[in-house]
Every structure is written in C-alpha cells, then in structure tokens.
Amino acid sequence: PGAVMLIAALLIPMAPAALRAILLVGAPAIALALVWQLPDTLATAPSFLGMTLEPIRADALSRLFGTVFALMGIAGGLYALRQTNRTELSAAYAYMAFAFGVIFAGDLITVLIFWELMALGSATVIFASGTEAARRAGLRYLAVHLFGGVLLMAGVAGEVASSGQVTFASMLPD
C-alpha cells in the first residue's frame, strides 16, 4: 500500500488535472485493496548489522489501521480534488506512504526509518504554503518530531541492548 501511495506522490506534481483527480482517489482505493492482499510476512527478510529485519508484517491490527488510513486517504483525496498546491498534495501522499510503512513494519528499525520519513512528508505539507508563518511552524514541527525520533531511537537502542533483538515482542518493564 505504501508503494502505491509513494508512486502517486511522485506522479501528482506533473499530472494533468484529470489524472491528478484519479490519483487522488484511486491510489488510496488501490492501497485499501492491497492492505487485505499483503502476506503475513515476507518470504525473505533482509538483515542489518547482523539483525534480521521484517519490513512487512501484516496481522489483524495492522490491517485494521491500514484500512482506516486508506479510507482516510480516499476521503482526503475527495476533499483535495480542487486543491491547486501540488507540492502539498504530493507531500501528503508521501506522508501517507510512510505511515503505511510504520503500520506494517515488523521490526523496530523499520519503524524508526519510516517514522523519520513521515516527519519529512508532514513538514513539507506545512512548508508548502510558502509563508513565513508556515516556515516557522514547519521548523517547530520538525524540531518536535525529530526530538520524538531521537527518543524513539534511544528506546530502540535500549531494547536492542537489553534483548539483542529488533523484532516486536512483549516489552514489559523488568
């Protein structure tokens, strides 16, 4: 689902109005269908620094959140049909693509990567109006989001140091 949204995000800036309208509603609709087609896990899992990553893990909870995000994307696409700021539209769809990455991440490293990419997409939405107020708001947003990312990274590092794993497991205090 995230790949479909990212392709739409890349096409939106150069698409003529009719195609842009199809992308705005069609991409999240296709993503919705793909949410329910995802395998539970990938057949092959990449490794990073000796740790096995699981970039896609679909279960009942992630499919529920993926469904909600896709439905929100369809509604947002309908609402944005008359939006003329293509940068804002593109950034919003990139943000949605990265949000799907977080939703379907099966390990903490993948969550961290997509979490930080979400910050770029959402900050670009804020910066898109080009005003000084938007610039200041976008910088504040980035500062807060990146601080949250640092805290998330510290938590991931703590979990790896404690358990030696990046996979999701029950994380109960000792």
Side-chain angles (χ1 to χ4, degrees):
V4 169
M5 297 307 298
L6 191 57
I7 291 168
L10 295 171
L11 292 175
I12 284 171
M14 61 189 122
L19 178 57
R20 189 168 59 249
I22 292 169
L23 288 170
L24 289 174
V25 178
I30 292 169
L32 176 60
L34 291 175
V35 162
W36 292 97
Q37 301 300 316
L38 284 174
D40 289 343
T41 59
L42 289 178
T44 60
S47 66
F48 176 73
L49 299 176
M51 296 174 280
T52 301
L53 302 182
E54 193 177 357
I56 297 175
R57 181 193 309 177
D59 57 18
L61 185 60
S62 62
R63 284 191 177 97
L64 172 66
F65 276 93
T67 299
V68 169
F69 268 60
L71 291 172
M72 289 172 48
I74 293 168
L78 287 170
Y79 182 77
L81 286 174
R82 295 187 187 261
Q83 171 64 273
T84 58
N85 188 332
R86 293 176 184 213
T87 302
E88 184 178 343
L89 291 172
S90 181
Y93 275 56
Y95 174 85
M96 198 180 319
F98 302 138
F100 276 121
V102 170
I103 290 169
F104 290 106
D107 65 86
L108 298 170
I109 302 292
T110 303
V111 166
L112 182 62
I113 290 167
F114 281 112
W115 181 267
E116 295 303 334
L117 289 170
M118 281 174 49
L120 297 176
S122 54
T124 304
V125 170
I126 297 169
F127 290 132
S129 72
T131 66
E132 180 60 25
R135 187 187 70 76
R136 287 193 314 267
L139 291 175
R140 284 191 306 272
Y141 177 84
L142 272 177
V144 171
H145 194 99
L146 294 176
F147 177 70
V150 168
L151 294 177
L152 178 60
M153 186 169 54
V156 169
E159 178 63 22
V160 170
S162 171
S163 70
Q165 300 291 322
V166 293
T167 57
F168 284 113
S170 179
M171 296 180 193
L172 301 173
D174 289 334

